[in-house]
Amino acid sequence: MHSPVIYCRLASTNVLLRSRLGSYFNEVTCCCNHQRQYSLKVPIQKQQSKSRATTTSNATLIQRSHPKKAASVVTNLKQLFTPVEVKPMITSQPDIISSATSSLSGNGTYQTQTTATTNVGQELTGTVLQRNDLLRIITDFYRRDEIKKLAADNGLDIRLFQDAYVSFRKFCVQSTVLPVDLHIVFSDILSNAGHVTDIFPYFLSHAREMFPHLTCMDDLKQISDLRDPANWYPDARAIQRKIVFHAGPTNSGKTYQALKRYMESESGVYCGPLKLLASEVYHKTNALGTKCDLITGEERRFADPEGKPADHVACTVEMANLATLYEVAVIDEIQMMRDAQRGWAWTRALLGLRAKEIHLCGEASAINFVRELMITTGDEVEVRQYQRLTNLTYLDKSIETFDNVRRGDCFVCFSKNDIFHVTRELERRGHEVAVIYGSLPPGTKLLQAQRFNDPYDVCKIMVSTDAIGMGLNLSIKRIIFYSIVRPQMNEKGEKEKDSITTSQALQIGGRAGRYGTQFIDGEVTTFHRDDLQLFKDIVSRPVEIIQRAGLHPTAEQIELFAYHLPKHTLSKLIDIFITLSQLDDSLYFMCNVEDVKFLADIIEHVPLPLKPRYIFSCAPINRKMPFVCTMFLKYARQYSRGEPATFNWLVKQLQYPFQTPNTIMDLIHLEEVFDCLDLYLWLSYRFADIFPEKELVRGVQSELDQIIHLGVQSIVKLIRRTRHLDDDSDGLIITATTLAVEDAVNDKNKIPVRPIIGLEEEVAINSTSHSTTHPSIMSSSKKLQQTIHPNRLLQSYLNALKSQAEARGHAFNDSEDLINQLINKNLLHQRAVDKLEKQLCNYKEIKTTTTVATRVNKNHNNTIGIKKTKRK
């Protein structure tokens, strides 16, 4: 048995080679026929064996939670890694390395040197490597079973091994000079002084350069280990917290009791599921004398006129601050932990809030799960059960026809087409109808709710989606389910239509009859007779017990992944993270991230650093709205160029001023525009330098809110002008746009409809459709677009604040100054008015300069035209 060194020709020049390669092999058996058995010694061998054990454990975990997924998890993981191109070493002269020299380092990677040097390998061996000889050696190397086994032991499955082989062959054949060590090994093999398997260390180093995950798989698995999320929040674990669970059905007073303790405390935070709820708590808390700030993704309001933070905060659950210590925290609708999209936010708040008391409000179905979850945090749990304060009756008869409606009825629909159909049928019978659905602005929802709740208003029928399930206080006598089938989103992000769950039926139906309103007792039924028995079966079932809470990768975890895999796209990084992640599936599941990946793919070609790219991809927008996605892309481009998205730039993109909608299509477009403004505000609190005009944008948004409200009030007229509606996955497609344009041609007072498409396509369509549109309409529309009144932005903003305040019970005197009244009621701050007026003055100057420049250009063009005429 020879000593453990690689057998090669005894030349003094090979001492360096032996010293470099000796660390890679434990034992080499040498004999005259060169048949050797290799035992590869990789420096991270112990880590890899541990990694394999972890993988086995992870596979067992996956098998337990997702049996079908277990068989393909490894294959799917390998397909996610993108190979990094390793370029051949090309020099301008055959024996001079003028560009770079690569050598094998101790950690198994190629080190590149920029110094020019001679081809040392060729000088030492005296051998010029021919292309055909290299191909023959590399092909023989690829076909050997022991090489494939060694590759598999080092993380290279069949596909990765094939890709690495092709790249390694290309590198060797196309390079005009090879690394010295590799050149000597090839020379030894050609002279029968070496064996073809001696190439493996170099091949493995090349493969690791192609697939960086081979050297950092243990680190990636450690980063994506989500089995103990309670330990992510050491500050919360450092204090003894008391969890008080207020459990009960709707209209049982559970939230009232929690908020009462919240207002009595020295400091507190309220975490709500919706902006409307957070805003309501903000107004109520301030009205009762406790200073409270409002924080949502798109808005910051301070109770103190100077902007000093208050001790109490009302926020949406995603915006909960985990660094501040509170006396009391309230987490509303805690059962939302099971939500496939947003459940991670409730889990984060429950595990991470630093509060001595945490009051949870929600369904009793979450009690056992919360108790089990709090075992991992060591927190005390107290449960307080509540009963409904008013009677709720499930009727034995459906209404079957719209002629049987009564005052206080609320129709619940699960598609816009159903909403429009029901509204049209009710108004045909002479009923005034309030309409609420999810994509309406919050202000419009409040105004519609105000009409319905006002005992002196003739509007006493409501048509709504499940948006009324939480966030609005409505005086409803009877809930009528027009349908009991709705689109559901599962944990995989797949949308499927199914009957409503027991929890949803109880949550929505429980809105009928409310303590302190004109309809104390409530009733629930269905519209169609065939649905009634199935609905009764649904509500008679026990509510599904919550078993798991959602988790979500954080920006910091994705950044760590990107450090190890710098060549991968954000979407691929998320995929790899999800695939590698390990969960305690008895308590947690991974929330759906398809929306994040969708937005990441939209802006993949935009040059952005990783963290801003991730923040943009987490923007709360509906990916079904093409116009909003177009504006999202434009916002990202503005950020990448470092150019501020000014108010002047924004109104050009959105074609301000806005017109009252004439068709359903116009109304839907205005809703998308509102979402674009919401997105601007959301970004303004994360990238203030690029999105600086939030006060002006808020004024435009308030004006648009009023316009949309007017459109909703006359929604039946809009329906009549729309010839064909088609429900597409809870969306709306207008298939007769040209007919709507013809309607506008027939009536000169109408404005042509605006297609729901991106701005670039819209310009092209408008330019080609001039021939089919009446000239007077086009000219009047053009004049309207050119006439912008900045002063009315402030007035619209103030009027919107007034309307929302009136909806909450505030009274105003028309003879007094509106601004002073709003300031006195803590609904507006003087500094906000000053800032808005200053921005309006700047905008006026920009507009005046633009108008003067337009006139100068126009006069210049006219002069040129006159000169040309004289020449002719």
Side-chain angles (χ1 to χ4, degrees):
M1 182 69 66
H2 291 269
S3 59
V5 294
I6 291 183
Y7 183 88
C8 55
R9 58 193 175 95
L10 299 176
S12 59
T13 56
N14 287 338
V15 175
L16 175 64
L17 175 63
R18 290 198 302 271
S19 64
R20 286 185 177 180
L21 297 186
S23 62
Y24 279 88
F25 292 87
N26 278 334
E27 182 179 355
V28 178
T29 302
C30 174
C31 56
C32 58
N33 60 1
H34 305 297
Q35 292 179 356
R36 303 173 175 85
Q37 294 179 350
Y38 287 80
S39 174
L40 186 65
K41 182 180 73 175
V42 182
I44 58 172
Q45 183 178 5
K46 293 182 179 179
Q47 295 179 355
Q48 284 183 339
S49 62
K50 180 181 177 182
S51 172
R52 284 192 291 272
T54 305
T55 304
T56 304
S57 174
N58 191 24
T60 305
L61 194 64
I62 294 171
Q63 176 69 36
R64 188 151 47 99
S65 57
H66 302 288
K68 294 182 180 178
K69 183 180 177 182
S72 60
V73 63
V74 178
T75 305
N76 293 338
L77 177 62
K78 301 298 184 184
Q79 293 173 352
L80 292 175
F81 292 104
T82 304
V84 179
E85 182 182 4
V86 182
K87 296 182 180 179
M89 299 172 59
I90 308 297
T91 61
S92 56
Q93 299 180 15
D95 22 62
I96 300 295
I97 306 178
S98 58
S99 57
T101 302
S102 294
S103 60
L104 191 66
S105 66
N107 61 359
T109 59
Y110 281 114
Q111 301 294 325
T112 302
Q113 303 171 357
T114 56
T115 56
T117 182
T118 58
N119 192 336
V120 177
Q122 185 172 324
E123 286 194 356
L124 291 175
T125 61
T127 304
V128 178
L129 300 177
Q130 300 296 328
R131 181 176 184 275
N132 289 339
D133 293 334
L134 291 177
L135 287 174
R136 177 176 54 81
I137 294 172
I138 296 171
T139 302
D140 185 21
F141 168 83
Y142 170 71
R143 290 174 177 173
R144 292 182 174 269
D145 293 334
E146 61 267 33
I147 295 299
K148 294 178 181 178
K149 184 178 183 303
L150 282 173
D153 290 341
N154 286 274
L156 291 167
D157 66 351
I158 297 299
R159 190 189 69 83
L160 296 185
F161 179 69
Q162 173 71 23
D163 293 344
Y165 158 70
V166 172
S167 177
F168 182 69
R169 181 180 63 185
K170 179 181 177 182
F171 173 81
C172 293
V173 172
Q174 294 186 3
S175 296
T176 56
V177 61
L178 292 175
V180 178
D181 302 346
L182 184 58
H183 188 109
I184 294 174
V185 169
F186 276 122
S187 178
D188 288 345
I189 296 171
L190 288 173
S191 62
N192 292 326
H195 194 270
V196 67
T197 51
D198 295 344
I199 302 173
F200 185 79
Y202 304 95
F203 170 78
L204 181 61
S205 177
H206 185 93
R208 285 174 174 168
E209 189 174 356
M210 278 187 67
F211 300 102
H213 72 276
L214 295 175
T215 59
C216 62
M217 184 64 76
D218 288 330
D219 292 332
L220 296 179
K221 288 181 178 179
Q222 186 175 2
I223 295 168
S224 59
D225 189 346
L226 310 180
R227 287 174 293 186
D228 194 8
N231 288 335
W232 299 351
Y233 312 102
D235 293 337
R237 302 290 78 79
I239 61 176
Q240 183 61 44
R241 308 185 308 171
K242 180 180 180 181
I243 310 297
V244 181
F245 197 127
H246 301 266
T250 57
N251 197 19
S252 59
K254 57 184 184 297
T255 306
Y256 171 81
Q257 295 296 332
L259 288 176
K260 184 178 178 181
R261 178 69 186 96
Y262 162 79
M263 295 179 191
E264 293 172 351
S265 64
E266 294 183 1
S267 62
V269 58
Y270 168 82
C271 304
L274 300 172
K275 289 184 288 185
L276 276 175
L277 277 174
S279 180
E280 182 180 351
V281 172
Y282 161 77
H283 287 289
K284 184 181 295 184
T285 305
N286 282 296
L288 294 176
T290 302
K291 287 188 175 182
C292 177
D293 296 339
L294 174 66
I295 299 177
T296 68
E298 301 82 13
E299 190 173 9
R300 307 288 189 277
R301 290 192 200 174
F302 296 97
D304 186 80
E306 301 300 324
K308 181 181 177 181
D311 293 328
H312 289 74
V313 177
C315 65
T316 46
V317 66
E318 286 87 353
M319 303 302 297
N321 187 347
L322 305 185
T324 305
L325 178 63
Y326 301 100
E327 182 183 352
V328 172
V330 177
I331 306 177
D332 207 356
E333 305 293 349
I334 189 62
Q335 72 274 1
M336 290 285 288
M337 282 191 299
R338 66 182 170 199
D339 187 77
Q341 303 289 122
R342 300 175 61 202
W344 62 270
W346 277 264
T347 307
R348 169 181 173 270
L350 178 57
L351 296 178
L353 276 173
R354 297 181 63 205
K356 298 176 183 178
E357 292 181 26
I358 299 182
H359 291 256
L360 310 179
C361 305
E363 297 176 359
S365 59
I367 293 176
N368 292 335
F369 176 76
V370 169
R371 280 177 171 155
E372 185 177 358
L373 193 60
M374 291 302 98
I375 292 175
T376 65
T377 63
D379 297 323
E380 176 190 355
V381 179
E382 175 188 340
V383 177
R384 300 178 186 175
Q385 295 274 10
Y386 297 82
Q387 300 298 322
R388 185 176 172 89
L389 299 175
T390 61
N391 294 325
L392 184 66
T393 305
Y394 292 95
L395 301 180
D396 295 326
K397 186 178 180 181
S398 57
I399 70 167
E400 299 185 31
T401 173
F402 293 104
D403 296 327
N404 293 332
V405 297
R406 304 192 304 255
R407 287 171 56 88
D409 279 352
C410 175
F411 284 82
V412 176
C413 309
F414 296 113
S415 75
K416 283 186 178 178
N417 270 358
D418 286 347
I419 286 179
F420 298 147
H421 169 70
V422 173
T423 303
R424 180 171 51 191
E425 292 298 324
L426 290 171
E427 292 209 1
R428 279 179 180 174
R429 290 160 174 80
H431 297 289
E432 288 285 337
V433 180
V435 179
I436 293 178
Y437 51 88
S439 58
L440 286 178
T444 302
K445 292 177 184 175
L446 282 175
L447 292 172
Q448 291 291 307
Q450 181 187 11
R451 288 185 64 206
F452 180 74
N453 288 338
D454 188 353
Y456 303 105
D457 197 299
V458 295
C459 175
K460 279 293 160 280
I461 307 292
M462 174 170 284
V463 180
S464 173
T465 61
D466 56 345
I468 64 166
M470 58 182 72
L472 288 171
N473 292 323
L474 299 168
S475 180
I476 299 173
K477 173 63 177 177
R478 183 171 60 175
I479 290 286
I480 302 168
F481 283 87
Y482 187 73
S483 171
I484 58 174
V485 176
R486 60 159 290 176
Q488 309 274 7
M489 187 76 72
N490 58 28
E491 290 182 8
K492 298 179 181 179
E494 300 167 347
K495 201 168 186 180
E496 51 193 17
K497 287 194 174 184
D498 198 1
S499 300
I500 57 176
T501 64
T502 303
S503 175
Q504 291 165 347
L506 295 175
Q507 181 80 17
I508 299 170
R511 310 304 292 183
R514 186 169 185 84
Y515 184 78
T517 67
Q518 57 179 320
F519 301 116
I520 297 178
D521 297 330
E523 300 172 348
V524 185
T525 187
T526 62
F527 181 81
H528 299 286
R529 184 191 306 174
D530 297 339
D531 292 338
L532 184 59
Q533 187 56 48
L534 177 57
F535 176 77
K536 286 199 169 187
D537 292 341
I538 291 174
V539 296
S540 63
R541 301 169 192 163
V543 178
E544 183 181 357
I545 301 299
I546 295 177
Q547 297 179 343
R548 297 189 297 167
L551 292 177
H552 193 276
T554 65
E556 291 75 15
Q557 290 168 326
I558 298 299
E559 275 189 300
L560 289 173
F561 257 54
Y563 173 79
H564 292 291
L565 304 172
K567 301 295 184 180
H568 286 66
T569 65
L570 176 57
S571 182
K572 275 290 180 63
L573 288 174
I574 294 174
D575 278 335
I576 296 171
F577 184 96
I578 299 299
T579 307
L580 281 177
S581 62
Q582 302 176 69
L583 303 173
D584 180 357
D585 67 333
S586 64
L587 293 175
Y588 303 103
F589 69 91
M590 183 66 69
C591 284
N592 179 258
V593 293
E594 290 305 312
D595 286 346
V596 177
K597 289 166 53 182
F598 176 83
L599 296 181
D601 290 336
I602 287 181
I603 59 173
E604 184 55 45
H605 65 286
V606 180
L608 292 171
L610 179 69
K611 193 163 186 178
R613 185 183 300 278
Y614 186 78
I615 292 174
F616 267 92
S617 301
C618 292
I621 64 176
N622 187 347
R623 64 178 183 175
K624 294 180 183 177
M625 297 182 173
F627 185 80
V628 181
C629 293
T630 300
M631 284 304 301
F632 169 76
L633 178 58
K634 291 186 178 184
Y635 289 152
R637 285 174 180 163
Q638 287 293 109
Y639 181 89
S640 69
R641 292 192 290 258
E643 299 176 2
T646 62
F647 180 73
N648 198 37
W649 173 87
L650 182 63
V651 294
K652 288 180 181 178
Q653 308 301 319
L654 302 181
Q655 297 185 355
Y656 182 83
F658 310 121
Q659 311 302 325
T660 303
N662 283 314
T663 64
I664 289 294
M665 194 171 187
D666 288 343
L667 179 63
I668 292 175
H669 176 74
L670 291 179
E671 292 170 7
E672 292 191 350
V673 172
F674 190 94
D675 285 348
C676 293
L677 297 173
D678 244 4
L679 177 59
Y680 185 100
L681 294 174
W682 189 87
L683 293 169
S684 71
Y685 288 103
R686 289 150 181 85
F687 310 108
D689 294 339
I690 304 299
F691 304 93
E693 309 278 15
K694 56 178 175 288
E695 296 298 336
L696 279 175
V697 170
R698 206 177 300 284
V700 174
Q701 196 179 44
S702 300
E703 179 184 349
L704 180 56
D705 204 339
Q706 297 287 335
I707 294 174
I708 293 175
H709 174 63
L710 293 175
V712 173
Q713 280 187 304
S714 58
I715 198 167
V716 171
K717 295 178 182 177
L718 305 186
I719 295 171
R720 290 170 185 163
R721 293 172 187 161
T722 305
R723 300 296 180 85
H724 182 67
L725 301 175
D726 184 23
D727 190 17
D728 179 23
S729 300
D730 199 25
L732 183 68
I733 299 177
I734 309 300
T735 58
T737 304
T738 54
L739 295 178
V741 174
E742 290 174 5
D743 287 345
V745 174
N746 295 332
D747 188 348
K748 296 182 180 181
N749 295 325
K750 294 181 182 178
I751 299 173
V753 297
R754 182 186 289 108
I756 308 179
I757 51 179
L759 285 177
E760 294 85 359
E761 294 86 353
E762 183 175 343
V763 171
I765 289 180
N766 286 342
S767 62
T768 58
S769 62
H770 285 179
S771 59
T772 61
T773 308
H774 201 278
S776 63
I777 300 173
M778 295 305 300
S779 60
S780 62
S781 176
K782 189 174 181 182
K783 289 179 182 179
L784 284 170
Q785 291 180 3
Q786 290 177 349
T787 307
I788 298 179
H789 305 286
N791 285 335
R792 79 180 186 188
L793 294 179
L794 178 59
Q795 194 60 40
S796 298
Y797 184 40
L798 299 176
N799 288 335
L801 287 177
K802 177 185 175 183
S803 299
Q804 294 177 17
E806 288 176 339
R808 296 186 177 93
H810 292 278
F812 290 86
N813 189 345
D814 295 337
S815 62
E816 297 181 12
D817 183 65
L818 179 58
I819 292 180
N820 291 333
Q821 292 185 76
L822 289 170
I823 292 175
N824 293 334
K825 296 177 185 295
N826 291 325
L827 300 174
L828 183 67
H829 298 145
Q830 183 62 50
R831 57 187 179 83
V833 178
D834 296 339
K835 185 174 181 180
L836 187 60
E837 288 178 340
K838 183 178 179 181
Q839 289 176 320
L840 286 171
C841 291
N842 295 337
Y843 176 68
K844 280 183 180 179
E845 293 175 3
I846 295 172
K847 195 64 184 176
T848 304
T849 306
T850 306
T851 305
V852 171
T854 304
R855 289 174 181 171
V856 171
N857 291 335
K858 185 176 181 181
N859 294 335
H860 179 66
N861 293 336
N862 291 339
T863 305
I864 294 175
I866 292 171
K867 289 181 179 180
K868 287 183 178 180
T869 304
K870 288 182 178 179
R871 288 175 186 173
K872 289 181 181 180

